[in-house]
Amino acid sequence: MFKSVLVANRGEIACRVFRTAKRMGIRTVAVYSEADVDALHVREADEAVLIGPAPARESYLDGAKVLAAAKAVGAEAIHPGYGFLSENADFAEAVTAAGLVWIGPDPKSIRAMGLKDAAKQLMIEAGVPVTPGYQGADQSEETLTAEAARIGYPVLIKAVAGGGGKGMKRVDDPADFAAGLASAKREGAAAFGDDRVLIERYITRPRHIEVQVFGDRHGNVVHLYERDCSLQRRHQKVIEEAPAPGMSEAVRAAVTGAAIKAAKAVDYVGAGTIEFIADASDGLKADGVWFMEMNTRLQVEHPVTESVTGVDLVEWQFRVAAGEPIPLKQDEIRLNGWAMEARLYAEDPANGFLPSIGRLEHFVLPDDIRVDTGVEQGGEVSQFYDPMIAKLIVHADTREAAAAKLAEAAGEVEVWPVRTNAGFLKRCLEHPRFVAGDVDTGFIAAEEEALQPAESDEATLAALTLVAEAAADRVESGADRFSPWGGQPGLSYGVRLNAPPAATAWAQLDGRGVSAPVTPVETGWRGQGGAVAHVGFDQVQAGERLFGYQAVEDGFVLFVNGEARRVTPYRAAVGGGAGAVSDGSLRAPMPGKVVAAPVEAGDAVAKGQTVVVLEAMKMEHALTAPFDGVVESVAAVGDQVTEAAVLAVVKADA
């Protein structure tokens, strides 16, 4: 066994490989770009080497720099992780030529499976079922059009060197084929430097099923069962699980047998994944599963396979790369229970799933499940790299229990001010169709409306108790003068004859005005219509539920079912007659530019009328009047503003 390993990667996968290496007593070496100077994977390694500027092409994708770093520190082996250089056959050859151990398949295997058309032809020759289609050398528009007609619509045009959904176009009507072909070719050329395509029959209810395979240099090839990765958004995996729901022993035998054939056809060594597409229109059938492609590396979703088999796949990679045989025979690999993984992305589902970048000022993940991550509180989510910040992995006896456990974990995620998809993940996992196992790759698109966040009365109550207590603290400290006819931001009092003073809490929850009567209790405040109390420095109770929160400038961030909700107090008076007003502040939901202001100071506005329009992340956001009133102030068109900046103030009608 080699004594040191350099991981030619960053983030979560680098930390994951280091974890196994340290357990095995192997010295670890990290490489990093200038953007990752303070990254977690750099600190977790025994040694780290700077390899270039932030852009990946000048650092992590520069094989010469990575190899030079390995030689400089005396690393004996290189683990590529996934992405970046992991499927670069030229880099693999350079590593072995330099006398280092390459922890991956032979370059010839990478090349054999690197182009989709050549790989499909190889699989046909090996007796592996492939999706009906065309992968010929003739790339003329006439031939491709004729082949599409032969296959039958709908068809899928795919760049032969593609991946991640790039260069992939579905065409339903022959009249649209030419446009779809041109688009696929342009994307293929731009993303991979290769505009060649292949054509496949489009499966109307496709499921993505893949098999983990492993080979060694002693002629052994085994499978570690299947995973289902059908829950996808725009061809990107979101939630993965093992085993696949609805998988019979007959279908499992067919698909794993085909995977073994595929691996043997290219003399495969190390960890690899054979991906299949299955027709889910009438359940899984042995003759309805076809080879799609092979990933000649470790997969992002490998933890679910580890969870159901008890195998450390990275340890196996180390041992096989060092010349050892696979540690277990096929009949010794057992399938136990159910595992699921959710990919936590730094992205904003409410804003078209655009990446969200910045500093992780508050970053709390569940501590009772497996979490693979490469970031921590105080770290940065960079614009230069993939927005996946963590993987949440659970294991349970049944699929239903695993889904419930993972949904609960997603709901416990607390991240601010970077936005994440945690709430979206929770809603996917709790959707009745997903729970029933009725999932295909079109699930998210078909259920888009049902996967939108629902307003929570409990969240409103929790927000109100936070601002009520904060306001009361200010009164008690003398920061605000108490008046029975007025109040302070977040709380107002009214005098009632022959009764204690009434109190009302007022807040803006994500810019929406909310209010309710509240009563002081020993632990904080109680709201009308549901028990509410502040129970600790970082938790607030609403009814039977506890929510995490974080105090921020001008208010709080309330964490509800994986969502970060902005809570700010505003001034209001109740029981005081005609002078009752709210401060009516309209705040920017995110950094952006003011692109329109349809009203001016002094204009009368009605509740719901647009006051100012903010452009952020290539989308426009209209901020509207919270009530009938008069505009006191409004930002100027062209202003660049930060998140939570006051863009306009509306004064309530007298």
Side-chain angles (χ1 to χ4, degrees):
M1 178 62 65
F2 41 82
K3 294 181 173 60
S4 60
V5 60
L6 180 146
V7 177
N9 219 296
R10 64 178 300 279
E12 170 268 323
I13 185 58
C15 293
R16 161 70 188 93
V17 175
F18 292 158
R19 188 165 63 243
T20 291
K22 289 181 178 181
R23 178 175 59 78
M24 296 177 68
I26 300 172
R27 184 171 69 92
T28 58
V29 180
V31 291
Y32 65 96
S33 71
E34 291 172 355
D36 280 339
V37 170
D38 297 318
L40 182 61
H41 80 278
V42 175
R43 294 200 308 279
E44 289 202 345
D46 294 319
E47 193 169 356
V49 182
L50 175 66
I51 56 171
R57 66 181 179 277
E58 300 177 43
S59 51
Y60 297 108
L61 284 172
D62 191 325
K65 289 181 178 178
V66 173
L67 195 52
K71 292 178 180 178
V73 298
E76 299 176 58
I78 292 182
H79 192 300
Y82 47 69
F84 292 142
L85 297 167
S86 63
E87 293 179 284
N88 187 314
D90 292 340
F91 178 65
E93 284 181 338
V95 171
T96 55
L100 279 68
V101 176
W102 168 250
I103 304 177
D106 291 339
K108 64 181 179 62
S109 300
I110 297 175
R111 289 194 176 96
M113 289 299 193
L115 295 177
K116 297 180 189 298
D117 55 348
K120 288 189 70 172
Q121 187 58 44
L122 184 61
M123 292 302 99
I124 291 171
E125 295 170 2
V128 177
V130 301
T131 312
Y134 172 77
Q135 53 272 347
D138 187 344
Q139 291 283 302
S140 68
E141 183 175 335
E142 294 77 14
T143 296
L144 294 171
T145 301
E147 288 295 331
R150 177 186 64 81
I151 296 164
Y153 287 87
V155 298
L156 195 63
I157 306 171
K158 300 169 70 174
V160 300
K166 296 181 180 69
M168 186 182 297
K169 301 295 173 184
R170 172 182 171 175
V171 181
D172 296 297
D173 190 314
D176 299 325
F177 183 80
L181 175 62
S183 179
K185 281 179 168 291
R186 283 194 302 271
E187 288 188 10
F192 312 108
D194 189 340
D195 71 349
R196 291 176 299 155
V197 300
L198 58 84
I199 305 173
E200 293 178 349
R201 178 198 298 171
Y202 183 81
I203 310 302
T204 54
R205 283 210 64 196
R207 279 179 60 182
H208 181 121
I209 293 174
E210 58 189 38
V211 176
Q212 177 73 61
V213 294
F214 224 102
D216 63 24
R217 298 197 180 282
H218 303 273
N220 303 306
V221 179
V222 299
H223 71 79
L224 291 95
Y225 302 98
E226 80 282 352
R227 300 184 287 255
D228 192 300
C229 308
S230 298
L231 203 75
Q232 301 179 7
R233 189 185 63 80
R234 299 174 187 169
H235 305 293
Q236 294 287 338
K237 299 169 186 175
V238 176
I239 293 172
E240 303 101 346
E241 58 184 303
M247 178 65 72
S248 67
E249 288 303 321
V251 177
R252 176 172 289 135
V255 73
T256 55
I260 294 291
K261 282 184 181 179
K264 287 184 174 180
V266 293
D267 300 321
Y268 199 76
V269 173
T273 297
I274 314 295
E275 298 193 345
F276 297 89
I277 188 170
D279 186 349
S281 57
D282 190 27
L284 293 177
K285 296 182 178 179
D287 60 355
V289 184
W290 301 282
F291 171 86
M292 186 164 54
E293 63 182 337
M294 181 178 190
N295 286 306
T296 53
R297 54 174 168 77
L298 196 66
Q299 292 278 90
V300 175
E301 56 272 22
H302 76 273
V304 295
T305 294
E306 293 183 325
S307 296
V308 294
T309 62
V311 168
D312 184 330
L313 291 173
V314 175
E315 179 180 344
W316 277 26
Q317 285 186 298
F318 286 160
R319 294 195 180 283
V320 166
E324 298 180 20
I326 295 171
L328 296 176
K329 295 182 173 58
Q330 186 66 69
D331 60 4
E332 296 175 320
I333 303 171
R334 304 277 189 256
L335 189 62
N336 175 40
W338 216 285
M340 285 187 183
E341 172 183 295
R343 300 189 186 194
L344 183 67
Y345 283 101
E347 62 185 12
D348 189 356
N351 199 8
F353 290 91
L354 289 173
S356 179
I357 62 174
R359 186 171 181 269
L360 295 162
E361 296 177 5
H362 184 86
F363 186 68
V364 177
L365 300 180
D367 59 6
D368 57 347
I369 64 167
R370 175 175 171 177
V371 174
D372 286 7
T373 185
V375 295
E376 59 186 347
Q377 185 161 295
E380 292 276 344
V381 177
S382 170
Q383 63 178 311
F384 296 103
Y385 311 117
D386 187 273
M388 189 179 73
I389 54 176
K391 300 184 304 195
L392 311 179
I393 306 111
V394 301
H395 181 267
D397 292 337
T398 66
R399 185 176 187 276
E400 293 78 7
K405 189 175 182 179
L406 188 53
E408 181 179 5
E412 293 173 356
V413 170
E414 299 180 7
V415 182
W416 181 263
V418 170
R419 302 288 183 173
T420 77
N421 65 334
F424 174 77
L425 293 171
K426 179 177 174 64
R427 293 189 291 277
C428 287
L429 290 158
E430 292 178 335
H431 192 286
R433 269 190 61 194
F434 180 85
V435 174
D438 179 20
V439 176
D440 55 54
T441 58
F443 171 87
I444 289 176
E447 302 297 338
E448 184 176 3
E449 185 174 343
L451 295 175
Q452 297 301 311
E455 193 52 68
S456 166
D457 291 338
E458 291 178 326
T460 300
L461 289 170
L464 291 170
T465 198
L466 286 173
V467 298
E469 181 162 277
D473 286 345
R474 288 195 299 274
V475 171
E476 292 175 3
S477 68
D480 285 299
R481 182 174 60 84
F482 170 74
S483 165
W485 296 101
Q488 52 285 320
L491 194 64
S492 59
Y493 301 88
V495 172
R496 298 183 296 174
L497 294 176
N498 303 317
T504 300
W506 302 77
Q508 286 183 326
L509 184 59
D510 291 337
R512 179 177 62 90
V514 293
S515 64
V518 292
T519 306
V521 294
E522 184 177 348
T523 54
W525 293 82
R526 187 178 302 282
Q528 187 179 44
V532 179
H534 178 198
V535 296
F537 70 94
D538 60 357
Q539 283 189 317
V540 61
Q541 180 178 351
E544 299 299 318
R545 298 190 57 190
L546 284 174
F547 298 99
Y549 77 90
Q550 172 74 30
V552 296
E553 185 178 359
D554 297 330
F556 305 90
V557 176
L558 184 66
F559 300 104
V560 181
N561 298 327
E563 306 280 357
R565 310 289 303 275
R566 185 63 184 255
V567 180
T568 53
Y570 64 85
R571 183 178 299 277
V574 294
V581 298
S582 162
D583 73 357
S585 297
L586 303 182
R587 296 177 179 271
M590 63 193 73
K593 178 182 179 181
V594 176
V595 293
V599 299
E600 298 179 352
D603 287 353
V605 291
K607 180 179 179 180
Q609 181 177 341
T610 297
V611 177
V612 64
V613 179
L614 180 73
E615 183 184 69
M617 305 289 278
K618 300 182 181 179
M619 296 183 68
E620 291 189 353
H621 307 266
L623 281 70
T624 61
F627 38 69
D628 295 346
V630 176
V631 178
E632 283 194 336
S633 64
V634 61
V637 173
D639 283 357
Q640 292 284 350
V641 298
T642 59
E643 183 171 353
V646 176
L647 302 185
V649 176
V650 178
K651 182 178 180 180
D653 284 339

